Amino acid sequence: MIFLVIAAVGALLVFYKLWAAVPSEQKYEKFSAVSSFFTLAVAFSAAFVAYDQLNESKLASAKSIYKDYISLAFANPNFSAASYPIESPKFESFKPGSEEYEKYEYFVGFLLYSAESILPLVGDDENWYSTLSDQLMYHALYLKSGKANIENYSPQIDSIVNEAIRRYEEEALEKRVQPS
């Protein structure tokens, strides 16, 4: 917005200088040329503002999707980090076929859907990739089991899931190797 104000003031100053320097009989021709320039400047400024607003809108949408997931995680703490603690993961207490296991599958499905919805909105933002990878790491045991049907998601999700599983396995190996 500041950019537009500065551009408008600068354009008015240029217009004033040009107008004052032109003899009165040529003012109408110069006015036409200057008004064309202003029209072009306004069009470029509007395009810049529209582009900026589109990016802000995408970021706001990504944050809203992530907030919905975090709210679900907060409401379901037994599901939010099922692969932890590494020594005794909560995931191992979920019995396949039980209502709790089914709810957990939907929970992870919501996370995967959220991640897939966020990625196109944020482009190549490494912070978002890291955040999503961290969240998926909390579910590495389930994701590694093959029951999450990762192949139904985009290749980006597959990549982030594999990264999360790899990081979880490294962390688990570190914990098991370190003396108590």
Side-chain angles (χ1 to χ4, degrees):
M1 194 60 160
I2 286 260
F3 171 75
L4 290 177
V5 172
I6 292 171
V9 170
L12 285 173
L13 289 173
V14 168
F15 178 74
Y16 175 74
K17 287 288 190 181
L18 288 173
W19 191 259
V22 174
S24 61
E25 63 274 355
Q26 294 177 351
K27 282 191 178 189
Y28 294 111
E29 289 176 18
K30 295 292 182 180
F31 179 75
S32 176
V34 169
S35 67
S36 294
F37 170 76
F38 282 122
T39 301
L40 183 63
V42 168
F44 277 121
S45 297
F48 174 77
V49 168
Y51 178 77
D52 188 52
Q53 286 179 338
L54 178 63
N55 286 338
E56 289 299 318
S57 175
K58 286 180 177 182
L59 184 59
S61 294
K63 286 179 178 181
S64 177
I65 293 167
Y66 187 68
K67 180 181 152 275
D68 289 344
Y69 165 72
I70 292 299
S71 294
L72 183 66
F74 186 74
N76 295 280
N78 55 322
F79 297 151
S80 63
S83 292
Y84 289 89
I86 288 177
E87 302 80 22
S88 178
K90 292 179 222 166
F91 176 71
E92 291 175 354
S93 70
F94 303 152
K95 301 297 176 219
S98 70
E99 182 179 333
E100 184 177 41
Y101 189 85
E102 187 175 338
K103 285 180 181 180
Y104 177 69
E105 287 183 308
Y106 282 117
F107 181 89
V108 176
F110 188 84
L111 169 58
L112 291 166
Y113 177 78
S114 297
E116 190 162 57
S117 299
I118 289 169
L119 289 175
L121 298 172
V122 298
D124 295 333
D125 187 327
E126 288 298 319
N127 291 325
W128 277 101
Y129 278 84
S130 178
T131 298
L132 294 173
S133 178
D134 287 348
Q135 291 302 316
L136 290 165
M137 203 167 106
Y138 293 133
H139 308 284
L141 294 175
Y142 175 71
L143 295 169
K144 187 178 176 181
S145 75
K147 295 177 183 173
N149 298 320
I150 298 302
E151 65 277 356
N152 294 336
Y153 294 92
S154 70
Q156 284 180 306
I157 293 295
D158 187 48
S159 174
I160 293 174
V161 165
N162 288 331
E163 172 69 15
I165 292 170
R166 183 191 62 73
R167 289 177 45 224
Y168 177 82
E169 288 174 342
E170 286 176 0
E171 185 179 331
L173 186 61
E174 267 182 33
K175 286 233 180 209
R176 289 186 190 119
V177 170
Q178 290 180 356
S180 299

Coordinates of all heavy atoms in Angstrom, one line a residue, residues 85-164:
P85 N 5.9 -42.4 23.2 CA 7.3 -42.3 23.3 C 7.9 -43.5 22.6 O 7.3 -44.6 22.5 CB 7.6 -42.4 24.8 CG 6.3 -43.0 25.4 CD 5.2 -42.7 24.5
I86 N 9.1 -43.3 22.1 CA 9.7 -44.3 21.3 C 9.8 -45.7 22.0 O 9.6 -46.7 21.4 CB 11.1 -43.9 20.8 CG1 10.9 -42.8 19.7 CG2 12.0 -45.0 20.2 CD1 12.2 -42.1 19.2
E87 N 10.1 -45.7 23.3 CA 10.2 -46.9 24.1 C 8.9 -47.7 24.2 O 8.9 -48.9 24.3 CB 10.8 -46.6 25.5 CG 12.1 -45.9 25.5 CD 11.9 -44.4 25.3 OE1 10.9 -43.8 25.5 OE2 12.9 -43.8 24.9
S88 N 7.8 -47.0 24.1 CA 6.5 -47.6 24.3 C 5.4 -46.8 23.5 O 4.6 -46.1 24.1 CB 6.1 -47.7 25.8 OG 4.9 -48.3 25.9
P89 N 5.4 -46.9 22.2 CA 4.6 -46.0 21.4 C 3.1 -46.3 21.7 O 2.7 -47.4 21.8 CB 4.9 -46.4 20.0 CG 6.1 -47.3 20.0 CD 6.3 -47.7 21.4
K90 N 2.3 -45.2 21.7 CA 0.8 -45.4 21.9 C 0.2 -46.2 20.8 O -0.8 -46.9 21.0 CB 0.2 -44.0 21.9 CG 0.6 -43.2 23.2 CD -0.1 -41.8 23.1 CE 0.9 -40.8 23.5 NZ 0.5 -39.4 23.2
F91 N 0.8 -46.1 19.6 CA 0.3 -46.8 18.4 C 0.1 -48.3 18.7 O -0.8 -48.9 18.2 CB 1.1 -46.5 17.2 CG 0.7 -47.3 16.0 CD1 -0.4 -47.0 15.3 CD2 1.5 -48.3 15.5 CE1 -0.8 -47.7 14.1 CE2 1.1 -49.1 14.4 CZ -0.1 -48.7 13.7
E92 N 1.0 -48.8 19.4 CA 1.0 -50.3 19.7 C -0.2 -50.7 20.6 O -0.5 -51.8 20.6 CB 2.3 -50.7 20.3 CG 3.5 -50.7 19.3 CD 4.8 -51.0 19.9 OE1 4.9 -51.2 21.2 OE2 5.8 -51.0 19.2
S93 N -0.8 -49.7 21.2 CA -1.9 -50.0 22.1 C -3.2 -50.0 21.3 O -4.3 -50.5 21.8 CB -2.0 -49.1 23.2 OG -2.4 -47.8 22.8
F94 N -3.2 -49.5 20.0 CA -4.4 -49.4 19.2 C -4.6 -50.8 18.6 O -3.7 -51.3 17.9 CB -4.3 -48.4 18.1 CG -4.1 -47.0 18.6 CD1 -3.4 -46.1 17.8 CD2 -4.5 -46.5 19.9 CE1 -3.2 -44.8 18.2 CE2 -4.2 -45.3 20.3 CZ -3.6 -44.4 19.5
K95 N -5.7 -51.5 18.8 CA -6.0 -52.8 18.3 C -6.7 -52.7 16.9 O -7.7 -52.1 16.8 CB -6.9 -53.6 19.2 CG -6.3 -53.8 20.6 CD -5.0 -54.6 20.6 CE -4.3 -54.6 22.0 NZ -2.9 -54.5 21.9
P96 N -6.1 -53.3 15.9 CA -6.7 -53.2 14.6 C -8.1 -53.8 14.7 O -8.4 -54.8 15.3 CB -5.8 -54.2 13.7 CG -4.5 -54.1 14.4 CD -4.8 -54.0 15.8
G97 N -9.0 -53.1 14.0 CA -10.5 -53.4 14.0 C -11.2 -52.7 15.1 O -12.5 -52.7 15.1
S98 N -10.6 -52.1 16.1 CA -11.3 -51.5 17.2 C -11.7 -50.1 16.7 O -11.2 -49.5 15.7 CB -10.4 -51.3 18.4 OG -9.3 -50.4 18.2
E99 N -12.7 -49.5 17.5 CA -13.1 -48.2 17.2 C -12.0 -47.2 17.3 O -11.9 -46.2 16.5 CB -14.3 -47.8 18.1 CG -14.9 -46.5 17.8 CD -16.1 -46.1 18.7 OE1 -16.7 -47.1 19.2 OE2 -16.3 -44.9 18.9
E100 N -11.2 -47.3 18.3 CA -10.0 -46.4 18.5 C -9.1 -46.4 17.3 O -8.6 -45.4 16.9 CB -9.3 -46.8 19.8 CG -8.2 -45.8 20.2 CD -7.5 -46.1 21.5 OE1 -7.3 -47.3 21.8 OE2 -7.3 -45.2 22.2
Y101 N -8.8 -47.6 16.8 CA -7.9 -47.8 15.7 C -8.5 -47.1 14.5 O -7.8 -46.4 13.7 CB -7.6 -49.2 15.4 CG -6.5 -49.5 14.4 CD1 -5.2 -49.5 14.8 CD2 -6.8 -49.7 13.0 CE1 -4.2 -49.8 13.8 CE2 -5.9 -49.9 12.1 CZ -4.5 -49.9 12.5 OH -3.5 -50.1 11.6
E102 N -9.8 -47.2 14.3 CA -10.5 -46.6 13.1 C -10.4 -45.1 13.2 O -10.1 -44.4 12.3 CB -11.9 -47.1 13.0 CG -12.6 -46.6 11.8 CD -14.0 -47.2 11.7 OE1 -14.3 -48.3 12.2 OE2 -14.8 -46.6 10.9
K103 N -10.6 -44.6 14.4 CA -10.6 -43.1 14.7 C -9.2 -42.6 14.4 O -9.0 -41.6 13.8 CB -11.0 -42.8 16.1 CG -12.5 -42.8 16.3 CD -12.8 -42.5 17.8 CE -14.2 -42.6 18.1 NZ -14.5 -42.2 19.5
Y104 N -8.2 -43.4 14.8 CA -6.8 -43.0 14.6 C -6.5 -43.0 13.1 O -5.8 -42.1 12.6 CB -5.8 -44.0 15.3 CG -4.4 -43.7 15.0 CD1 -3.8 -42.5 15.5 CD2 -3.6 -44.5 14.2 CE1 -2.5 -42.1 15.2 CE2 -2.3 -44.2 13.9 CZ -1.7 -43.0 14.4 OH -0.4 -42.6 14.1
E105 N -7.0 -44.0 12.3 CA -6.8 -44.0 10.9 C -7.4 -42.7 10.2 O -6.8 -42.1 9.4 CB -7.4 -45.2 10.2 CG -6.6 -46.5 10.5 CD -7.2 -47.7 9.8 OE1 -8.4 -47.9 10.0 OE2 -6.5 -48.4 9.1
Y106 N -8.6 -42.3 10.7 CA -9.2 -41.1 10.2 C -8.4 -39.8 10.6 O -8.2 -38.9 9.8 CB -10.6 -40.9 10.7 CG -11.6 -41.8 9.9 CD1 -12.3 -42.8 10.5 CD2 -11.8 -41.6 8.5 CE1 -13.2 -43.6 9.8 CE2 -12.7 -42.4 7.8 CZ -13.4 -43.4 8.5 OH -14.3 -44.2 7.8
F107 N -7.8 -39.9 11.8 CA -7.0 -38.8 12.3 C -5.8 -38.6 11.3 O -5.5 -37.5 10.9 CB -6.5 -39.1 13.7 CG -5.7 -38.0 14.3 CD1 -6.2 -36.9 15.0 CD2 -4.3 -38.0 14.2 CE1 -5.5 -35.9 15.5 CE2 -3.5 -37.0 14.7 CZ -4.1 -36.0 15.4
V108 N -5.1 -39.7 11.0 CA -3.9 -39.6 10.2 C -4.3 -39.2 8.7 O -3.7 -38.5 8.1 CB -3.1 -40.9 10.2 CG1 -2.0 -40.9 9.2 CG2 -2.6 -41.2 11.6
G109 N -5.5 -39.7 8.3 CA -6.0 -39.4 7.0 C -6.3 -37.9 6.9 O -6.0 -37.2 5.9
F110 N -6.8 -37.3 8.0 CA -7.0 -35.9 8.0 C -5.7 -35.1 8.0 O -5.6 -34.1 7.3 CB -7.8 -35.5 9.3 CG -8.2 -34.0 9.4 CD1 -9.4 -33.6 8.7 CD2 -7.4 -33.1 10.0 CE1 -9.8 -32.3 8.8 CE2 -7.8 -31.8 10.0 CZ -9.0 -31.4 9.4
L111 N -4.7 -35.6 8.6 CA -3.3 -35.0 8.6 C -2.8 -35.1 7.1 O -2.3 -34.1 6.6 CB -2.4 -35.7 9.5 CG -0.9 -35.3 9.4 CD1 -0.6 -33.8 9.5 CD2 0.0 -36.1 10.4
L112 N -2.9 -36.2 6.5 CA -2.4 -36.4 5.1 C -3.1 -35.5 4.2 O -2.5 -34.8 3.3 CB -2.5 -37.8 4.7 CG -1.5 -38.8 5.4 CD1 -1.9 -40.2 5.1 CD2 -0.1 -38.5 5.0
Y113 N -4.5 -35.4 4.3 CA -5.3 -34.5 3.5 C -4.9 -33.1 3.7 O -4.8 -32.3 2.8 CB -6.8 -34.8 3.7 CG -7.6 -33.8 3.0 CD1 -7.9 -34.1 1.6 CD2 -8.2 -32.7 3.5 CE1 -8.7 -33.2 0.9 CE2 -9.0 -31.8 2.8 CZ -9.3 -32.1 1.5 OH -10.0 -31.2 0.8
S114 N -4.7 -32.7 5.0 CA -4.3 -31.3 5.3 C -3.0 -31.0 4.6 O -2.8 -29.9 4.0 CB -4.2 -31.1 6.8 OG -5.5 -31.3 7.4
A115 N -2.0 -31.9 4.8 CA -0.7 -31.7 4.2 C -0.8 -31.5 2.7 O -0.2 -30.6 2.1 CB 0.2 -32.8 4.6
E116 N -1.6 -32.4 2.1 CA -1.7 -32.3 0.6 C -2.4 -31.0 0.2 O -2.2 -30.5 -0.9 CB -2.5 -33.5 0.1 CG -2.5 -33.6 -1.4 CD -2.8 -35.0 -1.9 OE1 -3.9 -35.5 -1.6 OE2 -2.0 -35.5 -2.7
S117 N -3.3 -30.5 1.0 CA -4.0 -29.2 0.7 C -3.1 -28.0 0.9 O -3.2 -27.0 0.2 CB -5.2 -29.1 1.6 OG -6.1 -30.1 1.3
I118 N -2.2 -28.1 1.9 CA -1.3 -27.0 2.2 C -0.2 -26.9 1.2 O 0.2 -25.8 0.8 CB -0.7 -27.2 3.6 CG1 -1.8 -27.0 4.7 CG2 0.5 -26.3 3.8 CD1 -1.3 -27.4 6.1
L119 N 0.4 -28.0 0.7 CA 1.6 -27.9 -0.2 C 1.4 -27.0 -1.4 O 2.3 -26.2 -1.7 CB 2.0 -29.3 -0.6 CG 2.7 -30.1 0.6 CD1 3.0 -31.5 0.2 CD2 3.9 -29.4 1.1
P120 N 0.3 -27.1 -2.2 CA 0.2 -26.3 -3.3 C 0.0 -24.8 -3.0 O 0.4 -23.9 -3.8 CB -1.1 -26.7 -4.0 CG -1.5 -28.0 -3.4 CD -0.8 -28.1 -2.1
L121 N -0.4 -24.5 -1.8 CA -0.6 -23.1 -1.3 C 0.7 -22.4 -0.9 O 0.9 -21.2 -1.0 CB -1.6 -23.1 -0.2 CG -3.0 -23.5 -0.4 CD1 -3.8 -23.6 0.8 CD2 -3.7 -22.6 -1.5
V122 N 1.7 -23.2 -0.5 CA 2.9 -22.7 0.1 C 4.1 -22.8 -0.8 O 5.2 -22.3 -0.5 CB 3.3 -23.3 1.5 CG1 2.2 -22.9 2.5 CG2 3.5 -24.7 1.4
G123 N 4.0 -23.4 -2.0 CA 5.1 -23.5 -2.9 C 6.2 -24.3 -2.3 O 6.0 -25.4 -1.7
D124 N 7.4 -23.8 -2.5 CA 8.6 -24.5 -2.0 C 9.1 -24.0 -0.7 O 10.3 -24.0 -0.4 CB 9.7 -24.2 -3.1 CG 9.4 -24.9 -4.4 OD1 8.7 -25.9 -4.4 OD2 9.9 -24.4 -5.4
D125 N 8.2 -23.6 0.2 CA 8.6 -23.0 1.5 C 9.1 -24.2 2.4 O 8.4 -25.0 2.8 CB 7.4 -22.3 2.1 CG 7.7 -21.6 3.4 OD1 8.6 -22.1 4.2 OD2 7.1 -20.6 3.7
E126 N 10.4 -24.1 2.7 CA 11.0 -25.2 3.5 C 10.5 -25.3 4.9 O 10.5 -26.3 5.5 CB 12.6 -25.0 3.5 CG 13.2 -25.3 2.2 CD 13.1 -26.8 1.7 OE1 13.1 -27.7 2.6 OE2 12.8 -27.0 0.6
N127 N 10.1 -24.2 5.4 CA 9.5 -24.2 6.8 C 8.2 -25.0 6.9 O 8.0 -25.7 7.8 CB 9.2 -22.7 7.3 CG 10.5 -22.0 7.5 OD1 11.5 -22.5 7.9 ND2 10.5 -20.7 7.2
W128 N 7.4 -24.9 5.8 CA 6.2 -25.7 5.8 C 6.5 -27.1 5.6 O 5.9 -28.0 6.3 CB 5.2 -25.2 4.7 CG 4.4 -24.0 5.1 CD1 4.6 -22.7 4.9 CD2 3.2 -24.1 6.0 NE1 3.6 -21.9 5.5 CE2 2.8 -22.8 6.1 CE3 2.5 -25.1 6.6 CZ2 1.6 -22.4 6.9 CZ3 1.4 -24.8 7.3 CH2 1.0 -23.5 7.5
Y129 N 7.4 -27.4 4.7 CA 7.8 -28.9 4.5 C 8.3 -29.5 5.8 O 8.0 -30.6 6.2 CB 8.9 -29.0 3.5 CG 8.3 -28.9 2.1 CD1 8.1 -27.8 1.4 CD2 8.1 -30.1 1.4 CE1 7.6 -27.7 0.1 CE2 7.6 -30.1 0.1 CZ 7.3 -28.9 -0.5 OH 6.8 -28.9 -1.8
S130 N 9.1 -28.7 6.5 CA 9.7 -29.2 7.8 C 8.6 -29.4 8.8 O 8.5 -30.4 9.6 CB 10.7 -28.2 8.3 OG 11.2 -28.6 9.6
T131 N 7.6 -28.4 8.9 CA 6.5 -28.5 9.9 C 5.7 -29.8 9.6 O 5.3 -30.5 10.5 CB 5.7 -27.3 9.8 OG1 6.5 -26.2 10.2 CG2 4.4 -27.4 10.7
L132 N 5.4 -30.0 8.3 CA 4.5 -31.1 7.9 C 5.3 -32.4 8.2 O 4.7 -33.4 8.6 CB 4.1 -31.0 6.5 CG 3.2 -29.8 6.2 CD1 2.9 -29.7 4.7 CD2 1.8 -30.0 6.9
S133 N 6.6 -32.4 7.9 CA 7.4 -33.6 8.1 C 7.4 -34.0 9.6 O 7.3 -35.1 10.0 CB 8.8 -33.4 7.6 OG 9.6 -34.5 7.9
D134 N 7.5 -32.9 10.5 CA 7.5 -33.1 11.9 C 6.2 -33.8 12.3 O 6.2 -34.7 13.2 CB 7.7 -31.8 12.6 CG 9.1 -31.3 12.6 OD1 10.0 -32.0 12.2 OD2 9.3 -30.1 12.9
Q135 N 5.1 -33.3 11.8 CA 3.8 -33.8 12.2 C 3.6 -35.3 11.7 O 3.1 -36.1 12.5 CB 2.6 -32.9 11.6 CG 2.5 -31.6 12.3 CD 2.3 -31.7 13.8 OE1 1.5 -32.5 14.3 NE2 3.0 -30.8 14.5
L136 N 4.1 -35.5 10.5 CA 4.0 -36.9 10.0 C 4.9 -37.9 10.8 O 4.6 -39.1 10.9 CB 4.3 -36.9 8.5 CG 3.3 -36.3 7.7 CD1 3.8 -36.0 6.3 CD2 2.0 -37.1 7.6
M137 N 6.0 -37.3 11.3 CA 6.9 -38.2 12.1 C 6.3 -38.7 13.4 O 6.6 -39.8 13.8 CB 8.1 -37.3 12.5 CG 9.4 -38.1 12.9 SD 10.8 -37.0 12.9 CE 11.0 -36.9 14.7
Y138 N 5.3 -38.0 13.9 CA 4.5 -38.5 15.1 C 3.7 -39.7 14.7 O 3.2 -40.4 15.6 CB 3.6 -37.4 15.6 CG 4.3 -36.2 16.2 CD1 3.9 -34.9 15.8 CD2 5.3 -36.4 17.1 CE1 4.6 -33.8 16.4 CE2 6.0 -35.3 17.7 CZ 5.6 -34.0 17.3 OH 6.2 -32.9 17.9
H139 N 3.6 -40.0 13.4 CA 2.8 -41.2 13.0 C 3.6 -42.1 12.1 O 3.0 -42.9 11.4 CB 1.5 -40.6 12.3 CG 0.8 -39.6 13.1 ND1 0.0 -39.9 14.1 CD2 0.8 -38.3 13.0 CE1 -0.5 -38.8 14.7 NE2 0.0 -37.8 14.0
A140 N 4.9 -42.1 12.3 CA 5.8 -42.9 11.5 C 5.4 -44.4 11.5 O 5.5 -45.1 10.5 CB 7.2 -42.7 11.9
L141 N 5.1 -44.9 12.7 CA 4.8 -46.4 12.8 C 3.6 -46.8 11.9 O 3.7 -47.8 11.2 CB 4.6 -46.8 14.2 CG 5.9 -46.6 15.1 CD1 5.5 -47.0 16.6 CD2 7.0 -47.5 14.6
Y142 N 2.6 -46.0 12.0 CA 1.4 -46.3 11.2 C 1.7 -46.0 9.7 O 1.3 -46.9 8.8 CB 0.2 -45.4 11.6 CG -1.0 -45.5 10.7 CD1 -1.8 -46.7 10.8 CD2 -1.4 -44.5 9.9 CE1 -2.9 -46.8 10.0 CE2 -2.5 -44.6 9.1 CZ -3.2 -45.8 9.1 OH -4.4 -46.0 8.3
L143 N 2.4 -45.0 9.4 CA 2.7 -44.7 8.0 C 3.6 -45.7 7.4 O 3.4 -46.1 6.2 CB 3.3 -43.3 7.8 CG 2.4 -42.1 8.2 CD1 3.3 -40.8 8.3 CD2 1.3 -41.9 7.2
K144 N 4.5 -46.3 8.2 CA 5.4 -47.3 7.7 C 4.7 -48.6 7.5 O 5.1 -49.5 6.7 CB 6.6 -47.5 8.7 CG 7.6 -48.4 8.3 CD 8.7 -48.5 9.3 CE 9.8 -49.5 8.9 NZ 10.8 -49.6 9.9
S145 N 3.6 -48.8 8.2 CA 2.9 -50.1 8.2 C 2.2 -50.4 6.8 O 1.8 -51.5 6.5 CB 1.8 -50.1 9.3 OG 0.7 -49.3 8.9
G146 N 2.1 -49.3 6.0 CA 1.5 -49.5 4.7 C 0.0 -49.3 4.7 O -0.7 -49.4 3.6
K147 N -0.6 -49.2 5.8 CA -2.1 -49.1 5.9 C -2.6 -47.7 5.6 O -3.8 -47.6 5.5 CB -2.5 -49.6 7.3 CG -2.2 -51.0 7.6 CD -2.6 -51.4 9.0 CE -2.2 -52.9 9.2 NZ -2.4 -53.3 10.6
A148 N -1.8 -46.8 5.5 CA -2.2 -45.4 5.2 C -2.5 -45.1 3.8 O -3.0 -44.0 3.4 CB -1.2 -44.4 5.7
N149 N -2.2 -46.0 2.9 CA -2.5 -45.9 1.4 C -1.9 -44.6 0.9 O -2.5 -43.8 0.2 CB -4.0 -45.9 1.2 CG -4.6 -47.2 1.5 OD1 -4.0 -48.3 1.3 ND2 -5.8 -47.2 2.1
I150 N -0.6 -44.4 1.2 CA 0.1 -43.2 0.7 C 0.1 -43.1 -0.8 O 0.2 -42.0 -1.3 CB 1.6 -43.3 1.3 CG1 1.6 -43.3 2.8 CG2 2.4 -42.1 0.7 CD1 0.9 -42.1 3.4
E151 N 0.0 -44.2 -1.5 CA 0.0 -44.2 -2.9 C -1.2 -43.4 -3.5 O -1.1 -43.0 -4.7 CB 0.1 -45.6 -3.5 CG -1.1 -46.4 -3.3 CD -1.1 -47.1 -1.9 OE1 -0.1 -47.0 -1.2 OE2 -2.0 -47.8 -1.5
N152 N -2.2 -43.1 -2.7 CA -3.3 -42.4 -3.1 C -3.1 -40.9 -3.1 O -3.9 -40.1 -3.5 CB -4.6 -42.7 -2.3 CG -5.0 -44.1 -2.5 OD1 -4.7 -44.8 -3.5 ND2 -5.7 -44.7 -1.5
Y153 N -2.0 -40.5 -2.5 CA -1.6 -39.1 -2.4 C -0.6 -38.6 -3.4 O -0.1 -39.5 -4.1 CB -1.2 -38.8 -1.0 CG -2.2 -39.0 0.1 CD1 -2.4 -40.2 0.7 CD2 -3.1 -38.0 0.4 CE1 -3.4 -40.4 1.6 CE2 -4.1 -38.2 1.3 CZ -4.2 -39.4 2.0 OH -5.2 -39.6 2.9
S154 N -0.3 -37.4 -3.4 CA 0.7 -36.8 -4.4 C 2.1 -37.3 -4.1 O 2.4 -37.7 -3.0 CB 0.6 -35.3 -4.4 OG 1.2 -34.9 -3.1
P155 N 3.0 -37.3 -5.1 CA 4.4 -37.6 -4.9 C 5.0 -36.8 -3.8 O 5.9 -37.3 -3.1 CB 5.0 -37.4 -6.3 CG 3.9 -37.5 -7.3 CD 2.7 -37.0 -6.5
Q156 N 4.6 -35.5 -3.7 CA 5.2 -34.7 -2.6 C 4.9 -35.3 -1.3 O 5.7 -35.3 -0.4 CB 4.6 -33.3 -2.7 CG 5.2 -32.4 -3.8 CD 4.5 -31.1 -3.8 OE1 3.3 -30.9 -3.8 NE2 5.4 -30.0 -3.7
I157 N 3.7 -35.7 -1.1 CA 3.3 -36.3 0.2 C 4.1 -37.6 0.5 O 4.6 -37.8 1.6 CB 1.8 -36.7 0.3 CG1 1.0 -35.4 0.3 CG2 1.4 -37.5 1.5 CD1 1.2 -34.5 1.5
D158 N 4.3 -38.4 -0.6 CA 5.1 -39.6 -0.5 C 6.5 -39.3 0.0 O 7.1 -39.9 0.9 CB 5.1 -40.3 -1.8 CG 5.8 -41.7 -1.7 OD1 5.5 -42.5 -0.8 OD2 6.7 -42.0 -2.6
S159 N 7.1 -38.2 -0.6 CA 8.4 -37.8 -0.3 C 8.5 -37.3 1.2 O 9.4 -37.7 1.9 CB 8.8 -36.7 -1.2 OG 10.0 -36.1 -0.8
I160 N 7.5 -36.5 1.6 CA 7.6 -36.0 3.0 C 7.3 -37.2 4.0 O 8.0 -37.2 5.0 CB 6.5 -34.9 3.2 CG1 6.9 -33.7 2.4 CG2 6.4 -34.5 4.7 CD1 5.9 -32.6 2.4
V161 N 6.5 -38.1 3.7 CA 6.2 -39.3 4.5 C 7.5 -40.1 4.7 O 7.9 -40.5 5.8 CB 5.0 -40.1 4.0 CG1 5.0 -41.5 4.7 CG2 3.7 -39.4 4.2
N162 N 8.1 -40.4 3.6 CA 9.4 -41.1 3.6 C 10.5 -40.4 4.4 O 11.2 -41.1 5.2 CB 9.9 -41.4 2.2 CG 9.0 -42.5 1.5 OD1 8.4 -43.3 2.1 ND2 9.0 -42.4 0.2
E163 N 10.5 -39.1 4.3 CA 11.5 -38.3 5.1 C 11.1 -38.4 6.6 O 12.0 -38.6 7.4 CB 11.5 -36.9 4.6 CG 12.2 -35.9 5.5 CD 13.8 -36.1 5.5 OE1 14.2 -36.8 4.5 OE2 14.4 -35.6 6.3
A164 N 9.9 -38.3 6.9 CA 9.4 -38.4 8.3 C 9.7 -39.8 8.9 O 10.2 -39.9 10.0 CB 7.9 -38.1 8.4

